[in-house]
């Protein structure tokens, strides 16, 4: 009996869990291509994710994300790094479950804090005025 090959691997996890780092490594190991949803959104829009959130809001971002996810779910042989909130939307999770395997990258909160505390390119790491959150707020 021949094994069915999985053509899409989706990586999920909290922001800072390592999705964007692991995706190209895993893709290389499998002989697949790597796709980073957030980077693709930035290419499509010509804007950084933080700018999209501040200029147009999260709903606008999530609409683009859903459209892009639908598109890449048709590709063969790829490891897809999802945004931290992608699977929180039922339609996205359904697409992912129907078209590939979902891998959760579990990371301890302390490690995430250390990775993210100096990042300025994450919309949820800034306050409403666009300034970085304090360690206590994080």
């Amino acid at each position: 009996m021949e094994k069915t090959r999985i053509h899409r691997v989706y990586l999920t996890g909290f922001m800072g869990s390592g999705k964007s780092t692991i995706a190209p490594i895993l893709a290389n190991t499998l002989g697949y291509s790597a796709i980073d949803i957030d980077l693709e959104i930035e290419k499509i829009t010509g804007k950084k994710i933080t700018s999209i959130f501040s200029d147009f809001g999260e709903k606008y971002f999530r609409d683009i994300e859903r459209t892009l996810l639908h598109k890449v779910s048709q590709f063969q042989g790829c490891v897809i790094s999802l945004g931290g909130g992608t699977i929180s939307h039922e339609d996205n999770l359904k697409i992912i479950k129907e078209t590939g395997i979902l891998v959760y990258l579990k990371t301890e909160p302390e490690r995430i804090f250390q990775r993210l505390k100096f990042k300025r390119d994450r919309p949820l790491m800034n306050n409403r005025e666009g300034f970085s959150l304090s360690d206590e707020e994080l």
Side-chain angles (χ1 to χ4, degrees):
M1 178 154 75
E2 184 179 320
K3 285 187 177 180
T4 302
R5 184 171 177 139
I6 297 168
H7 296 285
R8 276 164 238 87
V9 178
Y10 297 94
L11 300 181
T12 191
F14 195 76
M15 74 172 116
S17 64
K19 300 177 298 288
S20 296
T21 300
I22 299 295
I25 296 167
L26 179 58
N28 185 56
T29 302
L30 296 173
Y32 283 6
S33 59
I35 300 168
D36 186 305
I37 293 287
D38 286 347
L39 291 178
E40 292 300 317
I41 290 172
E42 288 180 347
K43 285 182 199 173
I44 290 167
T45 63
K47 289 183 163 278
K48 294 287 186 189
I49 301 298
T50 52
S51 295
I52 296 169
F53 267 72
S54 64
D55 294 349
F56 303 106
E58 185 175 0
K59 182 184 179 328
Y60 178 83
F61 172 81
R62 296 297 174 196
D63 289 344
I64 296 170
E65 180 182 59
R66 187 173 13 272
T67 300
L68 183 57
L69 177 63
H70 189 324
K71 179 179 176 182
V72 301
S73 72
Q74 307 303 309
F75 296 169
Q76 299 290 317
C78 55
V79 176
I80 303 161
S81 172
L82 301 170
T86 306
I87 66 165
S88 64
H89 298 274
E90 193 174 321
D91 293 345
N92 293 346
L93 187 55
K94 183 178 181 199
I95 290 169
I96 292 163
K97 285 180 165 183
E98 290 176 353
T99 63
I101 184 169
L102 179 61
V103 177
Y104 172 65
L105 301 181
K106 182 179 178 183
T107 311
E108 297 301 320
E110 296 79 19
R111 182 167 299 253
I112 290 172
F113 174 75
Q114 290 303 317
R115 290 178 182 171
L116 296 178
K117 70 179 183 177
F118 297 112
K119 294 280 187 177
R120 303 294 175 250
D121 61 344
R122 310 288 175 114
L124 299 178
M125 303 300 291
N126 300 321
N127 62 23
R128 291 179 187 200
E129 291 77 37
F131 297 108
S132 299
L133 297 173
S134 68
D135 286 359
E136 293 77 32
E137 290 171 311
L138 290 173

